[in-house]
Amino acid sequence: MSKRVSDLIDPSQFAQIFAVRDPAGHKGSFGSSAIVGGAPSMVGAAVLAGRAALKSGCGRVYVGLAQESVLFDVDVGQPELMWRALDALIDISEQITAWGVGCGLGDSNYGLQCLKAVFSHRAGSPLVIDADALNALARGDVSATWGQGSVVLTPHPAEAARLLNTDVSSVQADRIKAAQTLAARFNAWVVLKGQHTVICRPDGQCQTNTTGNVGLATAGSGDVLTGLLTSLLAQGFTTEVAVPAAVWLHGKAADELVAQLGGPIGLTASELIDTIRKLRNTLKPN
């Protein structure tokens, strides 16, 4: 834990995500994301993550709801999303190229079953763990038995404090140390959200993000980030590319919205999604 210096995220690290796509590509060329969450009364979290995954370029996006009796089977605003009962999603797990779990997962027994099922069946595909899934990990309801393959934890400061069995003020007092401790404890990438989000590799190397503003302090913002990150991983980008790219793009979209529409007061998570799409299609970093 001696490494305490953090570099800044630079778009040159992930210039390839802005490259023109092969015109011969098809939906199978661009990966399949699976979002698992959306317990009763929290379906919106899964919707936001699914929409973000789709509009940031994933070829196919499946959403598995953490509900024993699923009544929701279509997002009329984004009918391209494919809704599945968890068992049906697990049955096609070999097709999934990245998983995102936790957005609106809740803390029911069934939600925990869903989380454990993803851990057991992801078969080495990249895994993004957010929100209620992090809380389950902190409570000890699940353990870090997620097998081989890259894992990304995306806590906000309160979630990080629970995982570290400490308080928020201690996390915020040394965000780099907190991220490094989590990365070492779970052998995972860590995205410690908040002002100047810190990303940390499993080996303890950290970077700090400079994009974004307080408009991101709104419900659903983290769900959009989870969907974006899952999408980039599903498309085949490495964690070294996808993690800083997702964090930077998420913040850049918030900055663009404030510049164009005013803010940061009143910025909503759903607005971020189309702006992320636009940025990915128009930016050309050196």
Side-chain angles (χ1 to χ4, degrees):
M1 290 302 159
S2 59
K3 301 174 185 177
R4 301 290 292 281
V5 177
S6 175
D7 295 326
L8 300 181
I9 294 175
D10 189 312
S12 64
Q13 295 174 237
F14 43 85
Q16 58 263 57
I17 75 164
F18 302 107
V20 175
R21 281 185 162 175
D22 181 353
H26 52 84
K27 64 184 178 183
S29 306
F30 305 120
S32 297
S33 295
I35 303 296
V36 178
S41 79
M42 294 187 284
V43 175
V47 168
L48 286 168
R51 289 184 177 189
L54 188 67
K55 290 201 169 185
S56 55
C58 196
R60 289 180 287 226
V61 179
Y62 298 91
V63 185
L65 292 181
Q67 301 180 22
E68 294 186 74
S69 298
V70 178
L71 300 178
F72 187 96
D73 60 2
V74 66
D75 172 8
V76 294
Q78 203 68 66
E80 299 88 351
L81 296 177
M82 293 176 282
W83 298 83
R84 296 287 187 273
L86 183 68
D87 289 346
L89 192 54
I90 294 300
D91 285 344
I92 60 167
S93 59
E94 73 282 354
Q95 300 177 27
I96 305 302
T97 52
W99 296 80
V101 62
C103 299
L105 183 72
D107 58 3
S108 69
N109 288 335
Y110 186 72
L112 291 175
Q113 291 176 30
C114 292
L115 182 56
K116 292 174 182 178
V118 172
F119 285 3
S120 297
H121 292 89
R122 72 184 186 101
S125 295
L127 172 64
V128 182
I129 303 176
D130 187 28
D132 291 326
L134 294 172
N135 292 330
L137 193 61
R139 290 192 304 268
D141 294 338
V142 294
S143 59
T145 53
W146 41 59
Q148 299 299 311
S150 59
V151 173
V152 186
L153 309 181
T154 62
H156 57 53
E159 291 161 346
R162 295 179 197 122
L163 288 165
L164 293 168
N165 194 28
T166 186
D167 53 54
V168 173
S169 60
S170 297
V171 170
Q172 294 293 75
D174 195 336
R175 288 169 54 79
I176 293 172
K177 179 181 177 181
Q180 288 177 326
T181 302
L182 286 171
R185 181 170 300 177
F186 294 103
N187 191 32
W189 283 74
V190 172
V191 176
L192 179 54
K193 296 181 287 196
Q195 186 180 27
H196 305 311
T197 290
V198 174
I199 65 170
C200 188
R201 299 162 51 121
D203 64 6
Q205 295 183 38
C206 292
Q207 288 189 291
T208 300
N209 188 44
T210 58
T211 63
N213 56 71
V214 73
L216 290 171
T218 186
S221 174
D223 303 316
V224 171
L225 178 59
T226 293
L228 170 59
L229 182 48
T230 304
S231 177
L232 294 179
L233 290 167
Q235 290 169 61
F237 295 107
T238 64
T239 45
E240 289 80 5
V241 170
V243 176
V247 170
W248 187 90
L249 269 176
H250 186 253
K252 183 67 171 177
D255 291 339
E256 289 287 310
L257 285 166
V258 168
Q260 295 170 10
L261 302 178
I265 296 171
L267 187 150
T268 62
S270 58
E271 292 177 289
L272 294 166
I273 297 171
D274 281 331
T275 306
I276 290 167
R277 170 185 169 179
K278 177 182 176 182
L279 290 171
R280 192 167 177 208
N281 282 283
T282 58
L283 289 180
K284 303 296 178 187
N286 294 325

